[in-house]
Amino acid sequence: MTSGKNQSEQVVLGKIGKTYGIKGWLRINSFTSPPENILEYESLGVSLGETTRTVRIDQSKQQNNKLLVHFDGIDDPETAQELTGANLWVDAAALPVLEAGSYYWHELQGMLVVNQQQELLGKVDSLLETGANDVLVVAPTKDSIDTRERLIPYLREKVVQEVDKEANQIKVDWEASYLS
């Protein structure tokens, strides 16, 4: 999915879970695809409330389909526990450049969704990964045609006709009367 709206934008790549063991290891929930891609980043930002810091993964392993990591300098469970629940992020500029016509999810979030009849259906609130295809969760805005939330499949050319980053808009072949 091309790199970013605002090059200093923070893109969340995962979330830190529970501690693992006595040497400061942590479980992480990676939002990258595949999940191991989060290991490709030399350093990651960590945000907990108003506090941010930079961490570097120095070791990782898979165990029971869980991704476990060790951060440089965090060597005990007490220090690791302070990071649980934190988001892991990078600046958008650090993301790999995608091929033309592909977009990262964070680039689509907030875009207005308009159908072929020029009806404003709402704006992209989030995306769902269903296995078959991604789905745009389109929330109503004060200017949209109604107050319905819509689930619109992200099927290029079939449903999604155009993504216009300059206009901050996605054009879809989707009737206002379609059930979500």
Side-chain angles (χ1 to χ4, degrees):
M1 295 191 150
T2 321
S3 182
K5 294 175 189 171
N6 173 352
Q7 291 302 323
S8 64
E9 179 182 4
Q10 295 175 352
V11 179
V12 176
L13 299 181
K15 190 170 189 107
I16 300 175
K18 296 187 220 175
T19 59
Y20 176 83
I22 61 169
K23 296 187 178 182
W25 285 74
L26 289 153
R27 292 178 179 90
I28 60 169
N29 181 16
S30 174
F31 304 150
T32 63
S33 180
E36 298 79 29
N37 280 0
I38 198 167
L39 304 173
E40 300 294 319
Y41 296 90
E42 188 170 313
S43 62
L44 297 160
V46 175
S47 295
L48 258 175
E50 297 298 313
T51 307
T52 61
R53 67 186 278 190
T54 301
V55 294
R56 189 178 69 77
I57 298 172
D58 60 4
Q59 296 179 63
S60 66
K61 60 185 172 184
Q62 288 269 359
Q63 188 169 54
N64 300 328
N65 290 331
K66 299 285 184 199
L67 188 56
L68 303 172
V69 299
H70 183 270
F71 296 121
D72 187 33
I74 299 179
D75 299 316
D76 61 82
E78 294 77 26
T79 306
Q81 177 69 36
E82 295 171 8
L83 299 177
T84 60
N87 286 328
L88 291 167
W89 53 268
V90 296
D91 286 330
L95 296 172
V97 175
L98 299 176
E99 62 186 55
S102 295
Y103 304 92
Y104 285 109
W105 281 14
H106 76 276
E107 294 178 298
L108 301 177
Q109 290 176 313
M111 284 190 169
L112 297 177
V113 178
V114 178
N115 66 11
Q116 292 182 316
Q117 291 73 35
Q118 297 304 309
E119 297 170 311
L120 176 61
L121 302 178
K123 71 174 183 169
V124 178
D125 180 61
S126 60
L127 288 98
L128 300 172
E129 188 175 9
T130 65
N133 54 267
D134 296 335
V135 174
L136 300 169
V137 178
V138 180
T141 67
K142 65 179 181 76
D143 297 323
S144 57
I145 60 169
D146 57 29
T147 58
R148 290 179 44 204
E149 177 180 82
R150 290 177 168 80
L151 302 177
I152 300 176
Y154 191 90
L155 297 170
R156 294 184 50 91
E157 297 176 13
K158 190 171 186 178
V159 176
V160 175
Q161 301 296 302
E162 179 184 6
V163 175
D164 186 342
K165 288 172 58 174
E166 301 302 317
N168 195 39
Q169 178 175 286
I170 300 173
K171 290 187 180 179
V172 295
D173 184 0
W174 196 260
E175 299 293 327
S177 61
Y178 287 173
L179 296 175
S180 293

